Amino acid sequence: MFEKTLEQILSDKNIQIALNSLKKTALGIDNLSELNEHFIHKLKQSCLNQTYVPEPVLQKLIPKSDGENYRKLAISSLKDKLIQKVLANELAWYFDKHFSDKSYAYRPGKSYKNAIFRLRDFLRVKPYFVIKSDIKDCFESINHSKLVALLAKYIKDKRVLNLVEIWIKNGIFNRQTYIKHSKFGIHQGDVLSPLLANIYLNQMDKFLETNNEIFIRYADDFVILADDEKFVQAKINSLKTFLSTIDLSLKDTKTAIYSPTQSFEFLGVSFYGSNLSINEAKFDKIQEKIYALSKSNDFKTDFNSYIVHLQTISLNLIKTDQTQLKRFIYALKKCVSLYIKNKTTLKTRLEIFTFLDTLNFALNFKSKGEKDEFYNQIYALTREKQALKAKPQPNPQHVLNKKKKHYLEQFAQNSLLHISTPHCFLGVSNVNFVIRYKGKVILKVRIDQIHQIIIACDISLSTNAIKAATKRNISIDFLGFNNQIYASLFSHTSTITPAYKAQIDFLNSPNSLNLAKEFIKAKATNQINYLKYLDKHYKILASNIDKMHKNLKKALISATTTSELMGYEGAISSLYFDAIASTLEDKEFKRVGKGATDLVNSLLNYGYAILYSTVQSALIKAGLYLNISYFHVSAKFSLSFDFIEEFRVVAVDRVVFTLLHQKTKLSLKDGLLDVPTKKKLTQKVALALLSTHKYKNEELNLEQIIQAQAYLLRKQIFNEAKYKGFLVRFQG
């Protein structure tokens, strides 16, 4: 039992120790960066007489490396950090002796390095099957009442328990919105939270130890080792059952099983049996940190400290990989040369060599000659006329991906010719499409770069422009004020009738309904997958996702007509857009097709019109007759509406809602999208159509996938293959 009273905990000595160790860089909601003696005395008394009330927590969203998601970080006020720090210091020494020796995070005398080497030691003894997982939303899922009840078993002074309960229930300010925190979750970023998480997760550790499991846990990441594959699933199921009793669960997407002959990654280190290496993502972070040090105002201290940190484990592993070692040495030389050149007055070789002798490079030079050569290379870099930019030596694949993205964006801007200037003229000059307004050329673009022309206003169009487009199978689509395509021009060589009889025969067969179900299954599954992706950030969409799953299951099993299927599809879409609305500023958003005058629906309708043109073109190229369809039975060109369904989310919805979530400037004018908004949306949809996805073991862009799916649809109609909708897994 922890028997210290609150008076003993909040001694002047303990408060001073805590105050000296507090970081004061991240300011809370009250913006206090210093606490005077009088303030601290009053703060202490308020805790002792139970009148203390913490300031609301300020929430900061830290971008993750994917550029789209965020980590929620809580920032308490300085006075609250101080009291938490005093309490954490006192409670840690007591609870630590009750923790498992296989738990390594947030503990004195234990570290990331210890966790890695302990796992390596286990794997050296014998080959094991490895279960790797983590706790889903660990900090956010801790049950307040169960945590307080657990603490009450060990802490005698009820005032201490009261302080903990006040802190975990403390609300959050996200901008001007106050968010209650009444039942679940401890604030990630609070001083006390790591200790509370370990106390709560120690229940899992003790459960595993009771079952004689071999495991390593570092915060919410852990591995369990199994002698035999036949026991693996039983171990997972047993742990899931236990975790449910304390309101925790495993993250399914992070739960994986590895055989003794497979490599796996844990805490940024790659394991192949007991052989260790640094994975590329972690190595990139190490390089970035080294380059950032070149800007330090206390370079020698910061550089030497970081190298000492790397020597604990990372540097030893880097030295086993010659490619990484060369890149690491290169980073060291560039970092130091940048610092010398940009932040010191050192000039001569002697001055620079003398300075280099004060740095810890941890390279174990074999001779003075080898060290001098290394120093000379740094000296040479400092002599260059232009200061070198602090960029890591690039990983080849990362560079290629960046270049690919750059050109995709260029292609997206140039491949779709969008005309929204009224009364202009589209013609041809040599190898270019040319747009003139009042006789002046306002745009010139090469014909062979264009794959689609969208005309969204009244213009004049030359026959030469039509000939050039149809000769190269470039569709020309005319978009009305309601964001619907009212006409399209295609080449006379397009074959739209050969499949007519086969389409009629298929429509009258039992397989017709199954095809309609496949369209809806793909659409709904992509909607669900997108909501799951969004819910990693918003944490409020699970109920709608579950209802969509149930409706889809009923539709696939129970629907016996297209009318019944349409009813289920409508219900699923309603749940989908209701879930989307909860993530938008406009919480009242409801999906409207024709005649929409609000921003969100106007964006969607405009995006769908662009996609519709691509889909229709693909069907025509596949030789399918557009007026014979299997789900949308009453619409003109209804096969296009059938086929478009599975591509809406990936080509348009994600584009539109990402723009809205990022608060991109988008505007309406007189109830219609203004020209800059149309241009911005057009380019983003074009980029989505050029973005690559895995498709039958190939990397294809979405436009190619749409065409491939159109040919697959034709094969289904001719009974040559079974149609399977295109499913997307959203990442990042």
Side-chain angles (χ1 to χ4, degrees), residues 150-422:
L150 182 62
L151 293 171
K153 294 178 182 179
Y154 301 98
I155 298 174
K156 187 174 182 178
D157 193 328
K158 303 303 180 187
R159 292 174 297 173
V160 176
L161 292 175
N162 183 59
L163 282 175
V164 173
E165 190 165 11
I166 288 174
W167 282 322
I168 62 178
K169 291 185 180 298
N170 193 16
I172 301 166
F173 262 109
N174 183 358
R175 296 181 182 170
Q176 285 78 40
T177 303
Y178 183 78
I179 304 169
K180 290 183 178 180
H181 207 246
S182 54
K183 294 183 180 180
F184 291 90
I186 58 178
H187 299 299
Q188 199 161 359
D190 261 357
V191 175
L192 193 60
S193 291
L195 176 61
L196 295 179
N198 260 344
I199 292 170
Y200 202 77
L201 289 175
N202 192 52
Q203 298 172 99
M204 181 185 91
D205 298 342
K206 295 305 181 186
F207 169 78
L208 293 172
E209 288 180 339
T210 301
N211 287 280
N212 297 314
E213 301 291 3
I214 302 173
F215 70 97
I216 297 291
R217 180 175 68 81
Y218 190 88
D220 56 352
D221 290 299
F222 63 92
V223 293
I224 301 173
L225 307 183
D227 291 313
D228 196 312
E229 187 176 12
K230 65 184 179 183
F231 300 130
V232 167
Q233 195 57 51
K235 290 176 185 289
I236 294 173
N237 293 340
S238 174
L239 180 57
K240 283 183 174 179
T241 300
F242 171 75
L243 288 175
S244 68
T245 66
I246 56 174
D247 298 306
L248 298 180
S249 60
L250 300 182
K251 185 181 288 186
D252 290 336
T253 57
K254 293 290 186 71
T255 301
I257 301 165
Y258 301 90
S259 74
T261 59
Q262 288 179 299
S263 64
F264 67 94
E265 293 181 1
F266 183 57
L267 304 181
V269 173
S270 296
F271 286 77
Y272 185 73
S274 60
N275 296 316
L276 311 182
S277 60
I278 292 293
N279 67 42
E280 198 62 34
K282 184 170 180 63
F283 181 76
D284 285 347
K285 289 181 179 178
I286 290 171
Q287 280 198 117
E288 289 169 6
K289 173 66 175 177
I290 290 171
Y291 282 106
L293 289 172
S294 67
K295 300 178 181 178
S296 171
N297 292 323
D298 189 7
F299 179 80
K300 186 163 64 174
T301 300
D302 292 342
F303 182 88
N304 287 341
S305 296
Y306 187 61
I307 297 300
V308 169
H309 165 72
L310 291 180
Q311 284 179 291
T312 58
I313 181 169
S314 298
L315 188 52
N316 292 331
L317 300 182
I318 289 170
K319 287 180 178 179
T320 65
D321 184 320
Q322 287 302 308
T323 301
Q324 284 188 349
L325 180 59
K326 288 178 182 178
R327 291 164 62 197
F328 176 76
I329 293 172
Y330 176 85
L332 293 180
K333 290 186 289 190
K334 292 284 286 291
C335 167
V336 176
S337 65
L338 281 165
Y339 173 75
I340 293 172
K341 186 170 182 65
N342 297 330
K343 303 204 72 164
T344 76
T345 58
L346 302 176
K347 297 295 182 185
T348 70
R349 189 184 302 269
L350 178 60
E351 288 175 333
I352 290 174
F353 276 36
T354 302
F355 173 72
L356 295 180
D357 277 335
T358 68
L359 302 180
N360 172 26
F361 292 104
L363 294 178
N364 301 322
F365 297 114
K366 295 177 182 178
S367 65
K368 185 178 182 302
E370 185 177 338
K371 184 180 79 168
D372 287 346
E373 176 60 25
F374 180 78
Y375 283 10
N376 276 319
Q377 290 170 358
I378 294 175
Y379 175 76
L381 290 173
T382 66
R383 300 298 90 196
E384 291 183 357
K385 291 183 180 180
Q386 295 295 325
L388 299 170
K389 291 184 179 180
K391 292 183 179 179
Q393 189 174 6
N395 173 276
Q397 191 57 51
H398 291 178
V399 174
L400 292 173
N401 287 340
K402 187 175 180 180
K403 183 65 72 174
K404 181 177 86 171
K405 183 178 180 181
H406 168 74
Y407 279 105
L408 278 177
E409 290 173 348
Q410 279 199 347
F411 294 152
Q413 291 180 9
N414 297 330
S415 64
L416 196 157
L417 180 56
H418 181 271
I419 304 174
S420 55
T421 303

Side-chain angles (χ1 to χ4, degrees), residues 670-692:
D670 300 326
L672 301 173
L673 298 179
D674 64 14
V675 172
T677 299
K678 288 180 180 178
K679 184 176 180 181
K680 196 174 297 179
L681 179 59
T682 300
Q683 290 179 354
K684 291 292 185 182
V685 173
L687 179 60
L689 290 170
L690 290 174
S691 296
T692 56

Side-chain angles (χ1 to χ4, degrees), residues 12 15 36-48 82:
D12 291 342
I15 289 175
N36 61 42
E37 188 174 336
H38 178 67
F39 187 96
I40 293 173
H41 176 74
K42 288 179 65 177
L43 176 63
K44 174 181 175 178
Q45 291 305 313
S46 69
C47 293
L48 295 175
L82 175 60

Side-chain angles (χ1 to χ4, degrees), residues 583-618:
T583 72
L584 302 176
E585 286 187 350
D586 180 9
K587 305 296 183 189
E588 303 302 316
F589 162 68
K590 296 291 181 185
R591 178 73 186 112
V592 177
K594 291 182 179 180
T597 56
D598 66 293
L599 178 63
V600 182
N601 279 300
S602 296
L603 290 166
L604 289 172
N605 292 343
Y606 204 85
Y608 292 152
I610 297 170
L611 176 61
Y612 179 87
S613 174
T614 300
V615 163
Q616 183 170 271
S617 177

Side-chain angles (χ1 to χ4, degrees), residues 577-702:
F577 284 112
D578 284 348
I580 291 292
S582 67
T583 72
L584 302 176
E585 286 187 350
D586 180 9
K587 305 296 183 189
E588 303 302 316
F589 162 68
K590 296 291 181 185
R591 178 73 186 112
V592 177
K594 291 182 179 180
T597 56
D598 66 293
L599 178 63
V600 182
N601 279 300
S602 296
L603 290 166
L604 289 172
N605 292 343
Y606 204 85
Y608 292 152
I610 297 170
L611 176 61
Y612 179 87
S613 174
T614 300
V615 163
Q616 183 170 271
S617 177
L619 291 172
I620 290 173
K621 287 177 183 177
L624 293 172
Y625 190 64
L626 301 181
N627 286 332
I628 299 175
S629 60
Y630 307 95
F631 182 54
H632 297 86
V633 293
S634 60
K636 188 177 180 181
F637 298 156
S638 48
L639 186 60
S640 299
F641 290 106
D642 285 0
F643 188 53
I644 198 175
E645 298 289 17
E646 65 199 67
F647 306 108
R648 289 183 188 271
V649 177
V650 64
V652 179
D653 293 13
R654 187 181 187 185
V655 168
V656 168
F657 298 128
T658 297
L659 289 171
L660 293 168
H661 290 149
Q662 292 175 344
K663 303 191 183 305
T664 307
K665 185 177 180 181
L666 304 164
S667 305
L668 293 171
K669 184 177 181 181
D670 300 326
L672 301 173
L673 298 179
D674 64 14
V675 172
T677 299
K678 288 180 180 178
K679 184 176 180 181
K680 196 174 297 179
L681 179 59
T682 300
Q683 290 179 354
K684 291 292 185 182
V685 173
L687 179 60
L689 290 170
L690 290 174
S691 296
T692 56
H693 302 265
K694 280 282 186 184
Y695 182 82
K696 297 182 180 179
N697 299 318
E698 289 186 86
E699 284 280 344
L700 299 181
N701 67 44
L702 185 58

Side-chain angles (χ1 to χ4, degrees), residues 26 64 114 128 235 241 256 300 317 432 466 480 500 578 609 621 671 688 709:
K64 292 186 177 180
N114 300 138
Y128 284 102
K235 290 176 185 289
T241 300
K300 186 163 64 174
L317 300 182
N432 300 307
I466 295 173
Y500 181 84
D578 284 348
K621 287 177 183 177
Q709 287 291 96

Side-chain angles (χ1 to χ4, degrees), residues 453-467:
I453 299 172
I454 292 179
I455 299 173
C457 57
D458 294 334
I459 72 164
S460 299
L461 183 64
S462 77
T463 55
N464 283 339
I466 295 173
K467 287 178 184 177

